[in-house]
Amino acid sequence: MTDTERPGEDSGPVRFMTQHIALDYVVRVSPLAERFGEQLRSGRIVGQRCSSCGLVYVPMRAFCPMCTVAMGEEDELELADRGIVTSFTVLTPIQYHGQKERDDYALASILLEGADGTVGQQRLTGMPLDQIRMGMRVEAVWAPPEERASAAGERGYGFGNAIEAWRPTGAPDAPTAEFAAHVL
Amino acid sequence: MCSTAAVTSGESTYTLELPYRRSVGPVVGAFLTGLRDQQVLGSRTAAGRVIVPPLEYDPDTGDAVDDLVGVGTSGVVTSWAWIDEPLRKHPLDRPFAWVMVQLDGADTSLVHALDAGTADAVGTGMRVRIRWADERRGHISDIACFEPEVDQ
């Protein structure tokens, strides 16, 4: 399957052909990811606490991989939409076909308050890129409710488009000991 | 590239798209240039066969072919397959037939879409003609599709 762009050859011999090969594919979202997405659409971040070891997982994952113990609705808990930047990277977008980013931007791993694992690939906003620090405290910038449609489409890895970005709270940075165990 | 296009309950649709820019060479380049001018070119081999779309080499002998000749813009359906549910990237957004068309003056067939309305209207041996795209740019899609030669 192909489609084309106008190659800008209105006259003279045709020398090039643009061709876009596209694969559309449908991913089945697990019932748990679907449920996590529904909660995100209502503005809630829900995790699960293992009944055996007490570790808190977000997004939910149905079982504790440390204890191999199943987790269910009775193990769910809501987490605050605040956390700590444990790691980050600043990206300079290459302008390939389909690229939507134009300017440098930052993605971070964020350790939510009360969670025992980080959530990666989170956009940072509201601060100069060269002032981002490990340990910085941030809070979620939620998308308007009507724009959270694909929150369930992220296969349980992140927050979909429900959370646009994270911005600094202005509170003092977390001491290293608070997040050192979560830094790769 | 990956983007979330649509979500229905329990499913998520993604599109992975790979953009290519291909050098077409002197023979296919001439063919595409011809399409832009509403002209179809074939390559004539030493034995006199006319191959459409043109090839750079005679498939029978392997000899280079540089003799390009014009062929007709109408022809005969030599084979077909009906498509009930067109995909996003198909040339027509309504049910159509993929057809092999042997253009008048050609000895081989080319693949394209036939806008025939219903499968009942399609048959091997039927005559069809090119419907040109309004905007042509030197691409196979300059042929918007084929249509039955009877006036609709």
Side-chain angles (χ1 to χ4, degrees):
Chain A
M1 285 164 281
T2 65
D3 72 2
T4 58
E5 281 176 349
R6 196 173 175 81
E9 296 179 276
D10 290 335
S11 61
V14 175
R15 297 171 56 227
F16 294 98
M17 178 173 81
T18 54
Q19 182 177 26
H20 295 170
I21 296 175
L23 302 170
D24 293 345
Y25 59 100
V26 174
V27 173
R28 276 288 163 81
V29 178
S30 75
L32 197 70
E34 180 82 0
R35 181 172 164 73
F36 182 70
E38 280 169 17
Q39 301 284 0
L40 281 176
R41 281 195 288 276
S42 61
R44 302 172 69 224
I45 301 172
V46 176
Q48 286 170 323
R49 187 194 308 275
C50 172
S51 59
S52 172
C53 68
L55 288 177
V56 172
Y57 295 92
V58 60
M60 299 187 286
R61 60 174 66 186
F63 68 97
C64 173
M66 306 299 283
C67 308
T68 60
V69 167
M71 296 188 290
E73 278 190 39
E74 66 279 10
D75 302 308
E76 290 179 10
L77 73 164
E78 184 175 349
L79 288 111
D81 57 354
R82 294 185 305 274
I84 300 166
V85 171
T86 62
S87 187
F88 68 94
T89 187
V90 174
L91 296 94
T92 298
I94 293 170
Q95 296 303 309
Y96 51 73
H97 168 80
Q99 171 67 271
K100 295 186 175 95
E101 303 290 348
R102 292 291 176 263
D103 304 316
D104 289 6
Y105 62 101
L107 295 178
S109 292
I110 291 173
L111 180 64
L112 292 178
E113 281 181 20
D116 288 295
T118 58
V119 181
Q121 306 283 319
Q122 297 301 302
R123 185 77 172 238
L124 297 180
T125 188
M127 74 200 86
L129 296 176
D130 60 2
Q131 290 179 27
I132 298 169
R133 309 172 297 281
M134 294 163 73
M136 177 180 258
R137 295 188 189 275
V138 291
E139 62 189 0
V141 180
W142 290 85
E146 65 275 14
E147 292 175 19
R148 298 176 195 167
S150 75
E154 296 296 315
R155 294 174 278 186
Y157 299 147
F159 300 120
N161 59 6
I163 293 177
E164 290 176 348
W166 299 77
R167 66 185 165 217
T169 64
D173 287 2
T176 306
E178 202 172 317
F179 61 89
H182 301 281
V183 177
L184 285 175
Chain B
M1 279 135 279
C2 194
S3 64
T4 304
V7 175
T8 57
S9 182
E11 292 184 345
S12 189
T13 302
Y14 294 82
T15 296
L16 181 68
E17 196 167 64
L18 309 169
Y20 286 88
R21 185 166 183 262
R22 302 171 59 180
S23 172
V24 291
V27 171
V28 174
F31 172 71
L32 296 176
T33 305
L35 293 184
R36 199 175 58 200
D37 301 329
Q38 295 183 273
Q39 190 180 36
V40 183
L41 296 178
S43 52
R44 185 160 56 195
T45 69
R49 293 181 74 216
V50 176
I51 297 160
V52 181
L55 297 176
E56 291 187 17
Y57 295 90
D58 182 339
D60 295 326
T61 65
D63 294 337
V65 176
D66 56 8
D67 184 14
L68 296 177
V69 296
V71 297
T73 56
S74 299
V76 173
V77 171
T78 58
S79 184
W80 59 281
W82 187 252
I83 303 298
D84 257 327
E85 296 175 11
L87 300 175
R88 184 169 61 85
K89 292 230 165 187
H90 279 167
L92 294 170
D93 59 4
R94 51 193 176 275
F96 69 96
W98 286 120
V99 285
M100 299 281 287
V101 178
Q102 186 174 350
L103 292 171
D104 297 337
D107 292 292
T108 63
S109 301
L110 66 80
V111 177
H112 218 294
L114 173 64
D115 188 11
T118 65
D120 293 343
V122 186
T124 300
M126 74 183 288
R127 288 200 55 83
V128 294
R129 68 185 169 212
I130 290 173
R131 181 190 298 163
W132 295 102
D134 292 334
E135 258 189 56
R136 293 180 305 280
R137 55 198 173 177
H139 191 271
I140 189 63
S141 58
D142 288 355
I143 299 177
C145 62
F146 281 83
E147 59 191 12
E149 204 168 51
V150 291
D151 285 324
Q152 292 172 321

